[in-house]
Amino acid sequence: MSPIEIGYTAVGGLVVLIYFGMPIGVAMLGVSFFGVSMIRNDVVALRMLGAVGNDSLREYLFAVVPLFVLMGLLVTVSNVGKDTFDVFQKMLRRVMAGLGIATVFANAVFASITGISIASATVFSRVAVPEMTRHGYSKKFATGVVAGSSVLGMMIPPSLLMIVYAVLAEQSVGRMFLAGIGPGLLLSVIFAATILLLAKQRKGFVFDTPDDHATYEDFSLGDVLRKAVPILSLMLVVLGGLYGGFLNPTEAGAAGAAGALVIAVLRRSLPKRTLWNLMVETGQITVSVLFLILAATFFSRMLALSGVPRELAAFFLDSSIGPYGFLIFYLVLIVILGCLIDSISIMLIVLPIALPVAEAAGFDLIWFGVLTVVAVELGLLTPPFGLSVYTIKSAIDDPDLSVGDIFRGAFPFVLAMVVALAVLIAFPPISTWLARL
């Protein structure tokens, strides 16, 4: 077989292995080793595997992964999510469908100090959904709002997906974080507009009861400040230090983890056993992410050796399909894959193939990364996989609430994300202007 044929065979073998249940990282390593062995020989494959392990994981930058993961877990156990919701509930309770909008903006703020969508879905399903249903909102809508707005966790920096993309695309993590601010705010505003539109045009979808007679918990100005100060302090330390140029991404992660630890200790929400469990969970998440990055790097080098990316670039860019035809095909493929596998795995599979084509098309890789993250996050809301939806279902012990109800509640936010994706394609500066300063 020619190198091109070997490359396509390896890609097809990867799809088959994943379909039959092999862990994605193991499958990528296996087909990559097979591909390099067939193109060159076993000795070269072994040496390349060792070089990939050395080159892809030894960088100082990778310390950012466990630090931001630990910060997110510490923030989650410290009830910062509830405090964030309480603050926005106080501010927006008089607005039509104000609790839904409060959930969106609370998720946006919570995302800026966690970076993991599943954490947002878990926290707000336990905080926002009971409060919304108590005030007459339908369970379908309440859970749909939480599912939809939870995707902001991977859009607004710090974001684990953006770190993974930056590594694979060899882009600056700091610039990727900056690029996520505009799209994150855009998504928040479009989500809020979607809620207002639904509340006016589809009241039966939003509310179970036409009038809200439930009382709100009364917060004094002092209570609001007490709840807001830890959130704002952590945002100032992490984002202020990062965007002000005082801290690089790894240092910002360390400062954020230290700040989250201080908050957890002061709130006495961190007994010894909990701290140990959080450290173990941080290690497990970090190892799995870094192993997948290693496998994806090997896969990328195997594909480059085979010439598959060059041939695909020629096919898309020299034919009538063109650069934007490739872009639409790529985004649709990601959304379809999002129905079947998790976010990081999608990026690790498609980016080694798509990035060389995007680069040959002349696309800004920062902008391309933002579009990738938005499309990948769409997969968290689409059946049958819909990880955010299943996370919410597992967090809410309610036999009357079906997974189908949550998917239906989240559907308007899927449409809102499609609109946001179209806006970001049409106006690239929304993603790039901060990153290029």
Side-chain angles (χ1 to χ4, degrees):
M1 289 193 293
S2 68
I4 290 286
E5 291 171 335
I6 293 169
Y8 283 126
T9 302
V11 173
L14 176 63
V15 172
V16 171
L17 291 174
I18 292 172
Y19 177 79
F20 282 108
M22 180 176 285
I24 290 173
V26 176
M28 293 182 85
L29 283 177
V31 299
S32 301
F33 189 88
F34 163 81
V36 176
S37 296
M38 292 291 290
I39 295 170
R40 294 292 176 84
N41 54 58
D42 291 347
V43 175
V44 173
L46 284 169
R47 288 178 178 174
M48 186 176 286
L49 179 58
V52 165
N54 182 59
D55 297 343
S56 64
L57 300 182
R58 70 176 180 178
E59 293 186 24
Y60 169 73
L61 169 66
F62 286 109
V64 75
V65 177
L67 291 171
F68 276 124
V69 169
L70 179 60
M71 181 178 72
L73 294 174
L74 286 168
V75 164
T76 301
V77 301
S78 302
N79 289 324
V80 171
K82 183 179 187 308
D83 289 349
T84 309
F85 178 74
D86 288 343
V87 170
F88 281 99
Q89 177 189 202
K90 175 72 173 178
M91 294 167 57
L92 298 170
R93 64 177 57 171
R94 299 186 185 279
V95 177
M96 179 182 290
L99 288 183
I101 298 173
T103 302
V104 170
F105 287 110
N107 246 314
V109 172
F110 190 69
S112 70
I113 50 178
T114 56
I116 304 174
S117 293
I118 302 306
S120 297
T122 302
V123 168
F124 286 95
S125 61
R126 293 170 179 162
V127 171
V129 172
E131 187 68 8
M132 291 175 72
T133 52
R134 190 171 70 86
H135 285 277
Y137 292 78
S138 68
K139 290 179 183 177
K140 177 172 60 180
F141 174 76
T143 52
V145 169
V146 172
S149 56
S150 70
V151 303
L152 294 169
M154 287 298 190
M155 192 72 254
I156 296 177
S159 161
L160 190 58
L161 277 187
M162 285 193 170
I163 293 172
V164 172
Y165 177 86
V167 170
L168 295 177
E170 298 182 355
Q171 297 295 306
S172 162
V173 173
R175 288 185 182 277
M176 281 304 304
F177 282 176
L178 284 169
I181 294 177
L185 294 176
L186 174 69
L187 272 172
S188 301
V189 170
I190 291 178
F191 284 164
T194 300
I195 291 170
L196 286 173
L197 186 64
L198 288 171
K200 288 181 179 181
Q201 302 297 327
R202 297 282 305 276
K203 288 188 177 181
F205 181 85
V206 177
F207 303 104
D208 272 342
T209 56
D211 298 311
D212 178 11
H213 298 295
T215 58
Y216 286 92
E217 187 177 353
D218 191 26
F219 298 115
S220 66
L221 180 60
D223 291 332
V224 172
L225 289 175
R226 179 177 56 80
K227 291 174 178 289
V229 164
I231 307 161
L232 296 175
S233 299
L234 210 51
M235 290 177 65
L236 180 65
V237 169
V238 178
L239 301 184
L242 189 62
Y243 303 144
F246 304 110
L247 303 173
N248 64 37
T250 304
E251 291 166 347
L261 180 62
V262 169
I263 292 171
V265 169
L266 292 177
R267 293 189 168 191
R268 299 181 180 180
S269 57
L270 204 61
K272 290 181 180 179
R273 189 64 186 173
T274 301
L275 178 60
W276 172 253
N277 290 338
L278 290 184
M279 297 295 285
V280 170
E281 188 173 354
T282 299
Q284 291 172 338
I285 294 172
T286 301
V287 169
S288 64
V289 170
L290 294 183
F291 179 75
L292 287 170
I293 288 174
L294 184 151
T297 304
F298 195 16
F299 185 59
S300 178
R301 293 189 183 184
M302 183 276 296
L303 289 175
L305 197 62
S306 72
V308 167
R310 289 193 303 275
E311 185 169 279
L312 287 176
F315 170 76
F316 280 108
L317 305 181
D318 297 340
S319 67
S320 59
I321 297 174
Y324 282 91
F326 156 72
L327 181 64
I328 299 302
F329 173 81
Y330 167 74
L331 294 175
V332 170
L333 175 63
I334 285 183
V335 173
I336 292 172
L337 288 175
C339 299
L340 305 171
I341 55 179
D342 67 277
S343 303
I344 292 180
S345 298
I346 294 170
M347 293 179 68
L348 295 173
I349 292 168
V350 301
L351 284 175
I353 302 172
L355 281 170
V357 183
E359 198 164 10
F363 291 147
D364 185 313
L365 292 187
I366 296 288
W367 170 70
F368 189 74
V370 170
L371 298 181
T372 299
V373 172
V374 175
V376 164
E377 288 296 275
L378 260 169
L380 292 177
L381 304 179
T382 49
F385 191 72
L387 189 55
S388 277
V389 170
Y390 286 101
T391 300
I392 292 169
K393 173 59 180 172
S394 65
I396 300 175
D397 186 17
D398 186 346
D400 296 328
L401 179 68
S402 69
V403 171
D405 287 336
I406 306 175
F407 274 121
R408 284 187 286 274
F411 183 69
F413 300 95
V414 172
L415 297 180
M417 289 187 73
V418 172
V419 171
L421 198 55
V423 172
L424 292 172
I425 292 172
F427 302 100
I430 295 174
S431 307
T432 59
W433 72 278
L434 268 177
R436 297 306 179 193
L437 289 179

